[in-house]
Amino acid sequence: MKFTAFLKTRGATAAIFMGIFYAVAMLGIFLPGYTAIPGNVDKLPIAIINDDAGKNGAMIAENLQENLPFKEIETDITNKQALKDLEHNDLALVVHIPKTFSENIQKGEASSSIDFTINEAGATVVSSTMNSVVTEINSQLSTQFSQQTAQGVLMNFNVPEKQAAELAEKIEKSYVGNVVTINEIPDGMNHNMLPMFLTMAGYVGAMIGAMQLVGAFRACRGKASKTRLFTYVQMAALLIAVVSSIIAVGVAYLIDKPSGDLFFGIVGQQILNYMVCFNFTAILIFLFGEGGMILNLPILLMQTIANGATITRDMMHAPYEWMSHISPMYYSVQAYFANLFGSISPSPYIWSMAAVGAVAMLINMAIVAFLHKPMPVQVSETEVEKKAAEITA
């Protein structure tokens, strides 16, 4: 057998096709998706709340609105509401200028500060970008107010050495930026990526499981009704979901050590995640058989960007944002962030994920009912003998 003949075999041609297809799909999906960083950073919504009664607060708020590279800046909002929106990741940064800011600057009796609040329980790019922005703002404001204080000091040169030292300290500390981080995530990239890795573990396992179980469904046609076989497929998937989820969460606890009281909640979500992803990926396999697995790969790759672990919906290009609305991975990742590190309920994301799974299961039921032709159920010899015995009895 010649090498050229070997290359024409089904296995070789399939391997060549998958090598090219996967390379094109991965680069064609990942590279355009990540052009949103930092290109779409300006789409992140922030809030600037000025409660200062003096002129300094108004001046700073105006300068920030003009100079910060964000298109969506909310100002007509209370600090309480802004912080609530921040917890839900509807805002990326909250800047609050307190009521006594100008007064403290003028008196020089206490360090004047502006509160910059960042939520870590969300996309990693958002928290890192906001930290960089806040550092730059604080550096500029510190220089500005130190110069203003120095101008007042220089008006009186003949001061004793002790007073001069006190004034120098006052100049240095005339402004201090107060960076507040809510929902802090422990140090280590493994903690930041845990929501995505748990979700990916369930999704990839469910996708491969869908291929195997739907294959078993097709192989067993004629041995039982398609309704019974579909039920068996779902029951087998649920069994796998329970076992694999307990093991997956156990591994996560060995390495990342989340809070013990979250264990059963995380296991429950992982089971739901598996079942939703199973039915989501099974749609194409019920439709196209093994060929559906090829189509599932680019959908998986697209969701690695659309799941919100790295970038938020506000930053995503349109195709990825659209995918996030029907993506099981998006809702799973957001629910894990809320459950593991956040201060809000994961319920809205859990219910959204369950809705995606319910719709996917209904689609699968419709495919089996209307597109898969019924086959006569073959009765085994044992069953025939059993029925004959029942009749004679």
PDB file of all heavy atoms in Angstrom, residues 263-281:
ATOM      1  N   PHE A 263     -20.053  23.927  49.509  1.00  0.00           N
ATOM      2  CA  PHE A 263     -19.803  22.682  48.786  1.00  0.00           C
ATOM      3  C   PHE A 263     -21.038  22.167  48.055  1.00  0.00           C
ATOM      4  O   PHE A 263     -20.999  21.919  46.846  1.00  0.00           O
ATOM      5  CB  PHE A 263     -19.272  21.609  49.743  1.00  0.00           C
ATOM      6  CG  PHE A 263     -18.980  20.298  49.080  1.00  0.00           C
ATOM      7  CD1 PHE A 263     -17.774  20.100  48.411  1.00  0.00           C
ATOM      8  CD2 PHE A 263     -19.904  19.261  49.099  1.00  0.00           C
ATOM      9  CE1 PHE A 263     -17.500  18.894  47.779  1.00  0.00           C
ATOM     10  CE2 PHE A 263     -19.635  18.052  48.485  1.00  0.00           C
ATOM     11  CZ  PHE A 263     -18.424  17.868  47.820  1.00  0.00           C
ATOM     12  N   PHE A 264     -22.128  21.990  48.780  1.00  0.00           N
ATOM     13  CA  PHE A 264     -23.318  21.393  48.166  1.00  0.00           C
ATOM     14  C   PHE A 264     -23.926  22.310  47.106  1.00  0.00           C
ATOM     15  O   PHE A 264     -24.465  21.839  46.097  1.00  0.00           O
ATOM     16  CB  PHE A 264     -24.347  21.032  49.235  1.00  0.00           C
ATOM     17  CG  PHE A 264     -23.912  19.898  50.120  1.00  0.00           C
ATOM     18  CD1 PHE A 264     -23.496  20.132  51.424  1.00  0.00           C
ATOM     19  CD2 PHE A 264     -23.884  18.595  49.633  1.00  0.00           C
ATOM     20  CE1 PHE A 264     -23.079  19.088  52.239  1.00  0.00           C
ATOM     21  CE2 PHE A 264     -23.464  17.549  50.432  1.00  0.00           C
ATOM     22  CZ  PHE A 264     -23.059  17.795  51.737  1.00  0.00           C
ATOM     23  N   GLY A 265     -23.834  23.626  47.321  1.00  0.00           N
ATOM     24  CA  GLY A 265     -24.327  24.562  46.316  1.00  0.00           C
ATOM     25  C   GLY A 265     -23.523  24.481  45.027  1.00  0.00           C
ATOM     26  O   GLY A 265     -24.085  24.518  43.928  1.00  0.00           O
ATOM     27  N   ILE A 266     -22.202  24.350  45.161  1.00  0.00           N
ATOM     28  CA  ILE A 266     -21.338  24.252  43.983  1.00  0.00           C
ATOM     29  C   ILE A 266     -21.572  22.927  43.265  1.00  0.00           C
ATOM     30  O   ILE A 266     -21.637  22.870  42.026  1.00  0.00           O
ATOM     31  CB  ILE A 266     -19.851  24.401  44.385  1.00  0.00           C
ATOM     32  CG1 ILE A 266     -19.608  25.793  44.974  1.00  0.00           C
ATOM     33  CG2 ILE A 266     -18.936  24.184  43.187  1.00  0.00           C
ATOM     34  CD1 ILE A 266     -18.219  25.985  45.546  1.00  0.00           C
ATOM     35  N   VAL A 267     -21.708  21.836  44.030  1.00  0.00           N
ATOM     36  CA  VAL A 267     -21.984  20.533  43.418  1.00  0.00           C
ATOM     37  C   VAL A 267     -23.312  20.576  42.660  1.00  0.00           C
ATOM     38  O   VAL A 267     -23.421  20.086  41.526  1.00  0.00           O
ATOM     39  CB  VAL A 267     -22.006  19.418  44.484  1.00  0.00           C
ATOM     40  CG1 VAL A 267     -22.565  18.122  43.896  1.00  0.00           C
ATOM     41  CG2 VAL A 267     -20.610  19.172  45.041  1.00  0.00           C
ATOM     42  N   GLY A 268     -24.336  21.171  43.287  1.00  0.00           N
ATOM     43  CA  GLY A 268     -25.636  21.282  42.630  1.00  0.00           C
ATOM     44  C   GLY A 268     -25.555  22.071  41.334  1.00  0.00           C
ATOM     45  O   GLY A 268     -26.154  21.676  40.317  1.00  0.00           O
ATOM     46  N   GLN A 269     -24.806  23.188  41.359  1.00  0.00           N
ATOM     47  CA  GLN A 269     -24.670  23.984  40.138  1.00  0.00           C
ATOM     48  C   GLN A 269     -23.896  23.215  39.073  1.00  0.00           C
ATOM     49  O   GLN A 269     -24.219  23.284  37.886  1.00  0.00           O
ATOM     50  CB  GLN A 269     -23.952  25.306  40.419  1.00  0.00           C
ATOM     51  CG  GLN A 269     -23.825  26.145  39.151  1.00  0.00           C
ATOM     52  CD  GLN A 269     -23.071  27.437  39.343  1.00  0.00           C
ATOM     53  OE1 GLN A 269     -23.109  28.024  40.424  1.00  0.00           O
ATOM     54  NE2 GLN A 269     -22.368  27.886  38.321  1.00  0.00           N
ATOM     55  N   GLN A 270     -22.877  22.469  39.487  1.00  0.00           N
ATOM     56  CA  GLN A 270     -22.080  21.717  38.516  1.00  0.00           C
ATOM     57  C   GLN A 270     -22.912  20.620  37.846  1.00  0.00           C
ATOM     58  O   GLN A 270     -22.764  20.363  36.654  1.00  0.00           O
ATOM     59  CB  GLN A 270     -20.849  21.120  39.204  1.00  0.00           C
ATOM     60  CG  GLN A 270     -19.823  20.518  38.256  1.00  0.00           C
ATOM     61  CD  GLN A 270     -19.086  21.540  37.420  1.00  0.00           C
ATOM     62  OE1 GLN A 270     -19.312  22.732  37.536  1.00  0.00           O
ATOM     63  NE2 GLN A 270     -18.192  21.085  36.558  1.00  0.00           N
ATOM     64  N   ILE A 271     -23.795  20.001  38.626  1.00  0.00           N
ATOM     65  CA  ILE A 271     -24.704  18.990  38.043  1.00  0.00           C
ATOM     66  C   ILE A 271     -25.630  19.647  37.016  1.00  0.00           C
ATOM     67  O   ILE A 271     -25.825  19.131  35.904  1.00  0.00           O
ATOM     68  CB  ILE A 271     -25.528  18.293  39.150  1.00  0.00           C
ATOM     69  CG1 ILE A 271     -24.610  17.440  40.046  1.00  0.00           C
ATOM     70  CG2 ILE A 271     -26.633  17.428  38.545  1.00  0.00           C
ATOM     71  CD1 ILE A 271     -25.291  16.893  41.289  1.00  0.00           C
ATOM     72  N   LEU A 272     -26.201  20.788  37.400  1.00  0.00           N
ATOM     73  CA  LEU A 272     -27.069  21.520  36.468  1.00  0.00           C
ATOM     74  C   LEU A 272     -26.280  21.941  35.237  1.00  0.00           C
ATOM     75  O   LEU A 272     -26.762  21.825  34.098  1.00  0.00           O
ATOM     76  CB  LEU A 272     -27.664  22.742  37.159  1.00  0.00           C
ATOM     77  CG  LEU A 272     -28.512  23.669  36.274  1.00  0.00           C
ATOM     78  CD1 LEU A 272     -29.747  22.949  35.751  1.00  0.00           C
ATOM     79  CD2 LEU A 272     -28.910  24.939  37.042  1.00  0.00           C
ATOM     80  N   ASN A 273     -25.059  22.431  35.461  1.00  0.00           N
ATOM     81  CA  ASN A 273     -24.198  22.857  34.361  1.00  0.00           C
ATOM     82  C   ASN A 273     -23.984  21.706  33.372  1.00  0.00           C
ATOM     83  O   ASN A 273     -24.088  21.890  32.154  1.00  0.00           O
ATOM     84  CB  ASN A 273     -22.852  23.346  34.924  1.00  0.00           C
ATOM     85  CG  ASN A 273     -21.842  23.675  33.854  1.00  0.00           C
ATOM     86  OD1 ASN A 273     -22.159  24.329  32.874  1.00  0.00           O
ATOM     87  ND2 ASN A 273     -20.615  23.218  34.033  1.00  0.00           N
ATOM     88  N   TYR A 274     -23.703  20.510  33.886  1.00  0.00           N
ATOM     89  CA  TYR A 274     -23.474  19.349  33.015  1.00  0.00           C
ATOM     90  C   TYR A 274     -24.723  19.034  32.196  1.00  0.00           C
ATOM     91  O   TYR A 274     -24.644  18.832  30.978  1.00  0.00           O
ATOM     92  CB  TYR A 274     -23.066  18.134  33.847  1.00  0.00           C
ATOM     93  CG  TYR A 274     -22.687  16.929  33.008  1.00  0.00           C
ATOM     94  CD1 TYR A 274     -21.354  16.650  32.738  1.00  0.00           C
ATOM     95  CD2 TYR A 274     -23.662  16.076  32.469  1.00  0.00           C
ATOM     96  CE1 TYR A 274     -20.998  15.555  31.954  1.00  0.00           C
ATOM     97  CE2 TYR A 274     -23.319  14.992  31.687  1.00  0.00           C
ATOM     98  CZ  TYR A 274     -21.985  14.727  31.434  1.00  0.00           C
ATOM     99  OH  TYR A 274     -21.644  13.653  30.646  1.00  0.00           O
ATOM    100  N   MET A 275     -25.883  18.972  32.846  1.00  0.00           N
ATOM    101  CA  MET A 275     -27.114  18.596  32.156  1.00  0.00           C
ATOM    102  C   MET A 275     -27.508  19.632  31.100  1.00  0.00           C
ATOM    103  O   MET A 275     -27.959  19.270  29.998  1.00  0.00           O
ATOM    104  CB  MET A 275     -28.246  18.408  33.159  1.00  0.00           C
ATOM    105  CG  MET A 275     -28.088  17.206  34.062  1.00  0.00           C
ATOM    106  SD  MET A 275     -27.932  15.654  33.150  1.00  0.00           S
ATOM    107  CE  MET A 275     -29.510  15.558  32.302  1.00  0.00           C
ATOM    108  N   VAL A 276     -27.335  20.912  31.425  1.00  0.00           N
ATOM    109  CA  VAL A 276     -27.667  21.961  30.454  1.00  0.00           C
ATOM    110  C   VAL A 276     -26.719  21.882  29.256  1.00  0.00           C
ATOM    111  O   VAL A 276     -27.157  21.917  28.096  1.00  0.00           O
ATOM    112  CB  VAL A 276     -27.585  23.356  31.117  1.00  0.00           C
ATOM    113  CG1 VAL A 276     -27.723  24.452  30.067  1.00  0.00           C
ATOM    114  CG2 VAL A 276     -28.675  23.509  32.171  1.00  0.00           C
ATOM    115  N   CYS A 277     -25.427  21.741  29.537  1.00  0.00           N
ATOM    116  CA  CYS A 277     -24.444  21.655  28.449  1.00  0.00           C
ATOM    117  C   CYS A 277     -24.644  20.382  27.631  1.00  0.00           C
ATOM    118  O   CYS A 277     -24.442  20.378  26.412  1.00  0.00           O
ATOM    119  CB  CYS A 277     -23.026  21.704  29.020  1.00  0.00           C
ATOM    120  SG  CYS A 277     -22.606  23.282  29.809  1.00  0.00           S
ATOM    121  N   PHE A 278     -25.043  19.300  28.308  1.00  0.00           N
ATOM    122  CA  PHE A 278     -25.297  18.044  27.598  1.00  0.00           C
ATOM    123  C   PHE A 278     -26.391  18.225  26.555  1.00  0.00           C
ATOM    124  O   PHE A 278     -26.224  17.862  25.377  1.00  0.00           O
ATOM    125  CB  PHE A 278     -25.686  16.948  28.596  1.00  0.00           C
ATOM    126  CG  PHE A 278     -26.085  15.655  27.956  1.00  0.00           C
ATOM    127  CD1 PHE A 278     -25.122  14.733  27.585  1.00  0.00           C
ATOM    128  CD2 PHE A 278     -27.424  15.365  27.700  1.00  0.00           C
ATOM    129  CE1 PHE A 278     -25.489  13.534  26.962  1.00  0.00           C
ATOM    130  CE2 PHE A 278     -27.790  14.186  27.078  1.00  0.00           C
ATOM    131  CZ  PHE A 278     -26.822  13.264  26.711  1.00  0.00           C
ATOM    132  N   ASN A 279     -27.521  18.769  26.966  1.00  0.00           N
ATOM    133  CA  ASN A 279     -28.630  18.947  26.025  1.00  0.00           C
ATOM    134  C   ASN A 279     -28.319  20.021  24.985  1.00  0.00           C
ATOM    135  O   ASN A 279     -28.751  19.918  23.837  1.00  0.00           O
ATOM    136  CB  ASN A 279     -29.912  19.285  26.787  1.00  0.00           C
ATOM    137  CG  ASN A 279     -30.566  18.056  27.386  1.00  0.00           C
ATOM    138  OD1 ASN A 279     -31.193  17.276  26.687  1.00  0.00           O
ATOM    139  ND2 ASN A 279     -30.398  17.875  28.694  1.00  0.00           N
ATOM    140  N   PHE A 280     -27.566  21.028  25.373  1.00  0.00           N
ATOM    141  CA  PHE A 280     -27.182  22.100  24.445  1.00  0.00           C
ATOM    142  C   PHE A 280     -26.322  21.544  23.316  1.00  0.00           C
ATOM    143  O   PHE A 280     -26.546  21.835  22.135  1.00  0.00           O
ATOM    144  CB  PHE A 280     -26.432  23.187  25.215  1.00  0.00           C
ATOM    145  CG  PHE A 280     -26.082  24.403  24.400  1.00  0.00           C
ATOM    146  CD1 PHE A 280     -27.015  25.400  24.162  1.00  0.00           C
ATOM    147  CD2 PHE A 280     -24.802  24.556  23.877  1.00  0.00           C
ATOM    148  CE1 PHE A 280     -26.689  26.524  23.413  1.00  0.00           C
ATOM    149  CE2 PHE A 280     -24.465  25.679  23.132  1.00  0.00           C
ATOM    150  CZ  PHE A 280     -25.409  26.664  22.897  1.00  0.00           C
ATOM    151  N   THR A 281     -25.324  20.731  23.666  1.00  0.00           N
ATOM    152  CA  THR A 281     -24.426  20.176  22.648  1.00  0.00           C
ATOM    153  C   THR A 281     -25.048  18.984  21.922  1.00  0.00           C
ATOM    154  O   THR A 281     -24.642  18.672  20.796  1.00  0.00           O
ATOM    155  CB  THR A 281     -23.094  19.742  23.286  1.00  0.00           C
ATOM    156  OG1 THR A 281     -23.349  18.819  24.359  1.00  0.00           O
ATOM    157  CG2 THR A 281     -22.345  20.942  23.855  1.00  0.00           C
TER     158      THR A 281
END
